[in-house]
Amino acid sequence: MIFSGKAITVTQLDNGFAELNFNLEGDSVNKFNALTTDELRQAAETLRSADNVKGLLVTSGKDVFIVGADISEFGNNFSESEENIAAGVLETNKSVFNVIEDLPFPSVACVNGFALGGGLEMALTCDYRVMSTAAKIGLPETKLGIIPGFGGTVRLPRVIGADNAIEWIASGKEQRADAALKAGAVDAVVEPAKLKEVGIAMLEQAVAGKLDYKAKRQEKLQPLQLNDIEMMMSFETSKAFVAGQAGPHYPAPVTAIKVMQKAAKLDRDGALAEEAKGIAKLAKTEVAKNLVGLFLGDQELAKTGKTWAKKSTAKVEKAAVLGAGIMGGGIAYQSALKGTPIIMKDIAQDGIDLGLSEATKLLSTRVKRGRMTAEQMAGVLNAIDPALSYEGMETADIVVEAVVENPKVKHAVLAETETKLKEGAVLTSNTSTISISYLAEALKRPEDFCGMHFFNPVHKMPLVEVIRGEKTNDEAVARTVAYALAMGKKPVVVNDCPGFLVNRILSPYMGAFMGLVKEGADFVQIDKVMEKFGWPMGPAYLCDVVGIDTGVKAGAVMREGFPTRMSADYKSASEVLFEAGRYGQKNDAGYYKYELDRRGRQKKVADETVWDLLADHVDARQDFDAETIVDRLMIPMCLEAVRCLEEGIADSANDVDMSLIYGVGFPPFRGGALHYIDDMGVAEFVARADKYAEIGEMYQATERLREMAKNGETFF
């Protein structure tokens, strides 16, 4: 044994080669935490001074190679000054990765599974890389608001060329083995069982002089071999394109290109210094802090979901959905796609046809894109059992009611369905606003009933709210969470109230929008401001996409539930448009009108006739500055998020923020409503709310929030 640690061992092989094996104790994956990095530093020094080693094989004892850095350590690391961060990154590169790269003998990395971030950077320090057909590699750091920091922006362009490296790093996408081989990122792709054998054979060839590892190494040590015109074409063109794709709120992809451009004419050590400065600058931004927080929040959400799922006493072997159509078809598609057979029941053949058509359309798209075969598509469709009666319903372990959003209809359907189910089966409702405790009044076994609120479109939106009613038991919640996880969704358990968590928090945002329009604000300007703020679409466009009729009905439920905060003494713009028969995208007329572009896709077009309809219901048109528009819309939303946390509708601040990001597209780089308050400062947020307090309760901070402001507390 040459070196032995808790994350890394280096052993002497029979043929004079050494094997450096990553195998982090107590973890299912290898990652670059402080322990691993320190042990790699020690192992590298030991290898550098070893006199009986003629080649190094780098392997993994896990199913993955290395998944990257330990992101949970970023918070402490990023709290340092920009200068200290840069110095620390550069020191790690010089004392760890450069030492591996400069060893006086050839090295080969055997990439058996995921090699992401620092994992790929580790492999790039080696002279050769052999990749398993089952592996994937990539540098996803830009998705966290930063750039690679272990030499990724330096070595990758020199290995696969500037254009390929720009695409890989700016997009952050994972690359399959065939793509990696084509780009030149790896030197061979083999079946998993032959990985180590081929790696040793390459070492033998390098030692014998059949492979010139020194020449290959030299390419990584010297400046990029491009002339000035080629440099300009690669980097300047890419910067413009990537800036347009990433948008102004995500600086990391463009920063990565700028760093690579500065480093292109420098040798390795000079280039690494540029990389260190680049990552240090980004590490101090709120964008990086919030995107790292989002990653960790997602892990926390998954952990909570798995904890709930483990409490379930029965696995969901078969499911059922009541009500086909677009929503029911989407639920059936997602369930069958992820391996849970499902009955799709409707009272009319037209509904069945629509549901099957929705599933077929989604599956056909996957086939066209090469994501599944026609045979696999047929298998998924066969897992959807269309039914016009309750026949077979007794075999379902869980049932999702997805009929029209009408309390009387839901009561009738739920009561009838309950009589058809086996003992212990869980019944759920895909309602977006109606109280679960109220719906449970129609049932004989309310303890086996809960909400399972999907967001539309089901196949795209990751969030599922699992709503506990007053009488819901833990088994019903646990099984519903387990089913949501099996469907590939991100479940959040919330307590019952009008609108539950996401729609309740969204309602004041939409109410504030209606208030601004009532005061004469231009909804087109509001949309532009909020899209610039980071929302995927502004509130008027959102009304059109969701359906103005749907929004008006949901608004009525919310007004009834929270009359002092969510009621208004005027007819809202949406109510006016609803009465005029303008329902949004679904009938090509809402706040905007909708026309088909050259590709046959709907596009929104400003429609001045809307103002003729609104004329008698809104004040004279006036301009509002962008800051006022943002405050007027965001303050009520954030305050409702605070209330939901204080009232125990959600269990944690993380549940609140992750639900908003996954449920309604809250700008990820802002971290969620409660992160937004933290970033602004609780005291500053309360002060801003007080500026508008006279408008109504929607803008009035809670007493607990005022205490937090006084005591300097934060949500995270």
Side-chain angles (χ1 to χ4, degrees), residues 457-628:
V458 174
H459 68 286
K460 285 186 177 179
M461 300 299 286
L463 184 70
V464 170
E465 286 179 310
V466 177
I467 306 108
R468 181 197 285 275
E470 290 175 4
K471 297 181 179 179
T472 304
N473 63 25
D474 279 359
E475 172 62 27
V477 172
R479 193 180 307 178
T480 306
V481 168
Y483 180 47
L485 288 172
M487 294 176 78
K489 296 300 180 183
K490 298 180 184 294
V492 175
V493 178
V494 302
N495 285 314
D496 190 25
C497 70
F500 317 129
L501 180 63
V502 172
N503 282 337
R504 174 177 163 180
I505 294 172
L506 184 63
S507 190
Y509 173 86
M510 300 307 295
F513 163 67
M514 300 300 170
L516 271 177
V517 175
K518 170 68 175 68
E519 293 174 36
D522 181 354
F523 59 81
V524 174
Q525 183 201 6
I526 295 173
D527 274 4
K528 288 177 180 177
V529 168
M530 298 315 293
E531 285 164 11
K532 189 174 182 181
F533 177 81
W535 284 96
M537 60 185 75
Y541 188 29
L542 179 62
C543 287
D544 282 358
V545 171
V546 170
I548 289 176
D549 51 337
T550 302
V552 167
K553 291 173 186 175
V557 173
M558 300 310 295
R559 284 196 300 275
E560 184 179 345
F562 304 99
T564 62
R565 194 159 64 250
M566 299 190 193
S567 291
D569 58 0
Y570 58 86
K571 182 178 286 188
S572 72
S574 282
E575 289 171 320
V576 173
L577 297 180
F578 171 68
E579 290 176 2
R582 296 177 71 103
Y583 301 153
Q585 278 189 341
K586 63 179 67 177
N587 70 347
D588 297 328
Y591 282 92
Y592 300 91
K593 62 181 177 181
Y594 293 87
E595 301 172 351
L596 296 180
D597 63 17
R598 283 180 289 182
R599 295 184 178 181
R601 298 174 182 173
Q602 272 188 329
K603 65 174 181 178
K604 72 178 191 292
V605 180
D607 185 357
E608 280 297 317
T609 64
V610 171
W611 290 106
D612 296 333
L613 294 170
L614 298 179
D616 294 336
H617 304 278
V618 300
D619 300 339
R621 300 270 286 273
Q622 61 170 311
D623 290 330
F624 288 81
D625 63 77
E627 183 178 335
T628 299

Side-chain angles (χ1 to χ4, degrees), residues 277-604:
K277 286 190 285 186
I279 191 172
K281 184 177 181 180
L282 289 169
K284 300 304 294 181
T285 63
E286 285 187 356
V287 173
K289 178 172 70 70
N290 286 330
L291 291 179
V292 168
L294 175 59
F295 180 90
L296 296 173
D298 184 69
Q299 289 189 322
E300 185 180 329
L301 199 67
K303 184 178 179 181
T304 303
K306 289 175 183 176
T307 301
W308 264 111
K310 287 177 182 176
K311 297 178 183 178
S312 179
T313 61
K315 186 180 178 183
V316 176
E317 303 283 358
K318 192 166 190 177
V321 60
L322 307 173
I326 299 296
M327 179 60 78
I331 293 170
Y333 158 83
Q334 192 68 27
S335 183
L337 178 70
K338 294 297 182 178
T340 304
I342 187 167
I343 299 168
M344 184 175 67
K345 181 192 176 300
D346 203 280
I347 58 173
Q349 186 61 46
D350 285 350
I352 295 290
D353 292 342
L354 184 57
L356 287 174
S357 174
E358 176 70 5
T360 301
K361 179 181 72 176
L362 294 171
L363 289 165
S364 296
T365 300
R366 293 180 72 90
V367 172
K368 286 178 185 175
R369 293 177 178 174
R371 298 179 66 186
M372 67 166 28
T373 64
E375 290 76 17
Q376 289 171 325
M377 173 179 168
V380 174
L381 284 174
N382 285 335
I384 301 174
D385 181 12
L388 290 170
S389 70
Y390 284 101
E391 185 178 349
M393 196 64 64
E394 71 283 353
T395 63
D397 301 298
I398 190 167
V399 177
V400 183
E401 168 272 305
V403 301
V404 63
E405 190 78 348
N406 181 301
K408 291 182 180 179
V409 175
K410 286 185 180 291
H411 264 164
V413 170
L414 289 167
E416 183 180 20
T417 302
E418 185 184 40
T419 66
K420 311 296 182 181
L421 302 181
K422 65 184 178 183
E423 188 72 24
V426 172
L427 184 58
T428 74
S429 176
N430 176 48
T431 176
S432 57
T433 53
I434 304 170
S435 166
I436 293 301
S437 298
Y438 171 72
L439 291 177
E441 292 175 4
L443 302 174
K444 295 178 180 177
R445 293 187 287 113
E447 66 275 10
D448 294 334
F449 174 68
C450 66
M452 190 178 191
H453 178 211
F454 292 86
F455 290 76
N456 202 21
V458 174
H459 68 286
K460 285 186 177 179
M461 300 299 286
L463 184 70
V464 170
E465 286 179 310
V466 177
I467 306 108
R468 181 197 285 275
E470 290 175 4
K471 297 181 179 179
T472 304
N473 63 25
D474 279 359
E475 172 62 27
V477 172
R479 193 180 307 178
T480 306
V481 168
Y483 180 47
L485 288 172
M487 294 176 78
K489 296 300 180 183
K490 298 180 184 294
V492 175
V493 178
V494 302
N495 285 314
D496 190 25
C497 70
F500 317 129
L501 180 63
V502 172
N503 282 337
R504 174 177 163 180
I505 294 172
L506 184 63
S507 190
Y509 173 86
M510 300 307 295
F513 163 67
M514 300 300 170
L516 271 177
V517 175
K518 170 68 175 68
E519 293 174 36
D522 181 354
F523 59 81
V524 174
Q525 183 201 6
I526 295 173
D527 274 4
K528 288 177 180 177
V529 168
M530 298 315 293
E531 285 164 11
K532 189 174 182 181
F533 177 81
W535 284 96
M537 60 185 75
Y541 188 29
L542 179 62
C543 287
D544 282 358
V545 171
V546 170
I548 289 176
D549 51 337
T550 302
V552 167
K553 291 173 186 175
V557 173
M558 300 310 295
R559 284 196 300 275
E560 184 179 345
F562 304 99
T564 62
R565 194 159 64 250
M566 299 190 193
S567 291
D569 58 0
Y570 58 86
K571 182 178 286 188
S572 72
S574 282
E575 289 171 320
V576 173
L577 297 180
F578 171 68
E579 290 176 2
R582 296 177 71 103
Y583 301 153
Q585 278 189 341
K586 63 179 67 177
N587 70 347
D588 297 328
Y591 282 92
Y592 300 91
K593 62 181 177 181
Y594 293 87
E595 301 172 351
L596 296 180
D597 63 17
R598 283 180 289 182
R599 295 184 178 181
R601 298 174 182 173
Q602 272 188 329
K603 65 174 181 178
K604 72 178 191 292

Side-chain angles (χ1 to χ4, degrees), residues 32-237:
F32 275 115
N33 55 11
L35 171 70
T36 303
T37 306
D38 186 57
E39 288 190 1
L40 184 58
R41 179 183 286 106
Q42 297 175 54
E45 283 297 333
T46 303
L47 283 165
R48 178 158 65 176
S49 59
D51 56 8
N52 57 344
V53 176
K54 61 181 182 180
L56 179 66
L57 197 70
V58 179
T59 62
S60 165
K62 310 285 189 188
D63 291 335
V64 302
F65 185 65
I66 305 166
V67 297
D70 185 345
I71 296 171
S72 66
E73 295 181 352
F74 280 15
N76 288 334
N77 295 339
F78 289 2
S79 65
E80 296 281 342
S81 68
E82 188 175 321
E83 293 75 15
N84 286 346
I85 293 171
V89 169
L90 192 56
E91 190 279 329
T92 299
N93 272 310
K94 288 181 175 179
S95 65
V96 182
F97 296 98
N98 287 6
V99 175
I100 295 287
E101 187 167 50
D102 296 340
L103 288 171
F105 41 76
S107 56
V108 175
C110 296
V111 181
N112 62 314
F114 283 109
L116 304 175
L120 176 54
E121 289 172 300
M122 175 65 211
L124 287 169
T125 64
C126 295
D127 300 311
Y128 298 97
R129 287 155 295 284
V130 184
M131 185 174 177
S132 161
T133 52
K136 287 186 177 180
I137 64 176
L139 296 173
E141 286 85 353
T142 55
K143 294 180 179 180
L144 296 176
I146 55 175
I147 62 173
F150 290 161
T153 65
V154 177
R155 295 185 176 96
L156 191 63
R158 288 153 173 78
V159 171
I160 67 173
D163 291 341
N164 284 332
I166 288 167
E167 183 182 346
W168 282 34
I169 293 173
S171 70
K173 290 180 181 177
E174 296 169 3
Q175 307 291 333
R176 296 188 309 187
D178 54 350
L181 182 64
K182 184 178 180 181
V186 297
D187 302 283
V189 171
V190 299
E191 292 301 317
K194 294 184 177 181
L195 197 62
K196 193 169 177 179
E197 175 190 332
V198 172
I200 290 174
M202 291 185 78
L203 275 181
E204 289 172 341
Q205 288 182 303
V207 170
K210 295 179 181 178
L211 291 175
D212 190 351
Y213 76 91
K214 291 182 178 178
K216 196 168 177 65
R217 183 180 295 184
Q218 185 60 32
E219 292 177 355
K220 294 185 290 174
L221 301 178
Q222 64 192 16
L224 207 55
Q225 300 301 296
L226 294 175
N227 62 42
D228 289 345
I229 294 176
E230 290 170 330
M231 291 264 194
M232 184 185 70
M233 291 294 291
S234 287
F235 293 111
E236 293 300 331
T237 305

